[in-house]
Amino acid sequence: MEILVTGGTVFASRYTAEYFASNGHEVFVLNRGSKPQSEKVSPIIADRHSLGGTLRNRHFDAVIDVTAYNADDVNSLLDGLGSFGCYILVSSSAVYPETLPQPFRENSNIGANSIWGKYGTDKIAAEQALRSRVPDAYILRPPYLCGPMNNLHREAFVFECAEQGRIFYLPRDGSMKLQFFHISDMCRFMELLIKKKPKKHIFNVGYPEAVTIKEWVKLCCETVGEVHVFNEVHDDIPQRSYFPFYDYEYILDVSDMLELMPELTPLSVSITESYEWFGGNRGLIVRKPLIEFIDANKEILK
């Protein structure tokens, strides 16, 4: 197939592009050319908001839109595309209000989430714009993505703390839960959608079981091969100052995804692959000043 992937230069979009290229497809990536390109794909250097006739006379068997964050992003790409087959939009679990009963299901009401704010409402607008123009498009709502090429300061932060033998400052008792999804499994699921074309068009995706913060940190530390030493933070200190995730626990119901794709990559394998990639790509991590905050505030973190 000929596949168009938006972005294609960092984490989710780059992994997606390389995944499909490695599986024998001809992959084109649409981006502005401001970051290094993968050697496995063919770049189309253009801004999705001013495509003109760049794509007008081309056909793609599938369009995988990883980088649409609002309705304008979706509409601009659709206005510039020629003919295409399957369209897949990577949306977000942020479309569900945190006040709803959990686990969130695909037929749950979507709306503003006070944790995610504009990011969530913009993703809703992107979904609605796509569904109004391409009713048979597929929409994926993942939780936190993990795995190789993850340049966000999440697993990488724990890896760095473990390598430096640091005490790890844990929010409260570490029982807050996080739900993840391995980027490779998301790509496998997108490939399955393109091939099987199921009647259902909106899917929550992710591991069916969440893990606690403490379990996740232990997995990361064990992958590095270091002993984890925890210090619980119970004071009223903003969690994101010293820990890479919001103080927000949620769970997605992914049973419909599992019916189509029951076998998933274990989280431990995902973290191992993430650490292997991190080892050779430390300079690509978009770091947050977490360690700096910890070093400057050790007295109040005790």
Side-chain angles (χ1 to χ4, degrees):
M1 294 186 294
E2 292 192 4
I3 298 175
L4 178 68
V5 177
T6 61
T9 57
V10 294
F11 189 27
S13 64
R14 189 182 186 100
Y15 191 99
T16 299
E18 293 194 0
Y19 173 89
F20 281 93
S22 296
N23 280 277
H25 304 291
E26 187 173 4
V27 177
F28 301 85
V29 295
L30 175 66
N31 60 64
R32 289 172 291 187
S34 59
K35 294 183 176 70
Q37 305 285 345
S38 168
E39 296 179 356
K40 297 182 179 181
V41 303
S42 300
I44 299 173
I45 306 303
D47 189 323
R48 68 187 293 159
H49 297 103
S50 54
L51 287 168
T54 304
L55 304 178
R56 186 71 64 199
N57 297 319
R58 308 187 69 152
H59 172 81
F60 297 103
D61 298 294
V63 174
I64 302 177
D65 197 350
V66 188
T67 59
Y69 292 99
N70 56 47
D72 188 40
D73 289 344
V74 169
N75 286 321
S76 295
L77 181 58
L78 289 174
D79 289 343
L81 282 171
S83 61
F84 59 89
C86 181
Y87 194 117
I88 299 174
L89 171 68
V90 179
S91 183
S92 169
S93 59
V95 301
Y96 297 112
E98 79 280 8
T99 52
L100 290 180
Q102 297 188 32
F104 300 139
R105 295 177 173 82
E106 291 92 342
N107 60 359
S108 297
N109 291 330
I110 57 177
N113 181 301
S114 67
I115 307 298
W116 293 106
K118 189 174 184 294
Y119 172 77
T121 53
D122 280 352
K123 281 289 192 179
I124 292 172
E127 288 189 11
Q128 292 172 338
L130 179 59
R131 294 185 72 191
S132 70
R133 296 183 60 175
V134 189
D136 61 349
Y138 291 102
I139 294 171
L140 304 185
R141 295 172 177 167
Y144 296 112
L145 293 172
C146 60
M149 298 191 191
N150 185 358
N151 65 327
L152 300 176
H153 207 198
R154 292 174 178 167
E155 288 92 338
F157 168 65
V158 186
F159 296 153
E160 289 172 340
C161 289
E163 287 178 341
Q164 296 170 25
R166 288 176 167 270
I167 293 173
F168 196 89
Y169 291 90
L170 205 63
R172 296 179 295 279
D173 64 353
S175 62
M176 191 188 93
K177 291 185 177 180
L178 300 169
Q179 188 176 19
F180 292 99
F181 195 37
H182 188 15
I183 182 63
S184 177
D185 289 342
M186 188 170 78
C187 290
R188 288 197 301 116
F189 190 67
M190 290 192 285
E191 190 171 34
L192 185 151
L193 293 178
I194 295 169
K195 290 179 179 179
K196 293 194 173 182
K197 297 181 174 59
K199 292 181 179 179
K200 182 180 175 66
H201 287 273
I202 299 177
F203 288 90
N204 290 337
V205 294
Y207 288 119
E209 302 295 334
V211 294
T212 68
I213 290 174
K214 198 168 193 175
E215 291 168 337
W216 175 72
V217 173
K218 282 182 177 180
L219 275 174
C220 291
C221 291
E222 288 165 2
T223 299
V224 175
E226 296 295 331
V227 176
H228 35 269
V229 179
F230 294 123
N231 188 81
E232 297 181 2
V233 178
H234 293 274
D235 292 335
D236 189 20
I237 301 170
Q239 181 171 304
R240 288 264 286 175
S241 298
Y242 63 93
F243 187 74
F245 292 96
Y246 286 110
D247 185 6
Y248 173 46
E249 179 178 287
Y250 69 92
I251 185 74
L252 300 171
D253 182 326
V254 297
S255 54
D256 288 343
M257 178 206 74
L258 290 172
E259 284 188 17
L260 293 172
M261 192 179 73
E263 295 185 6
L264 302 178
T265 305
L267 180 59
S268 59
V269 173
S270 173
I271 292 175
T272 298
E273 292 177 354
S274 183
Y275 186 55
E276 290 171 352
W277 178 86
F278 170 75
N281 297 277
R282 296 167 188 265
L284 299 181
I285 303 300
V286 181
R287 286 179 170 78
K288 293 184 178 295
L290 300 171
I291 289 178
E292 291 81 355
F293 179 87
I294 291 168
D295 286 345
N297 294 276
K298 287 182 178 178
E299 290 303 314
I300 66 171
L301 288 169
K302 287 183 178 179

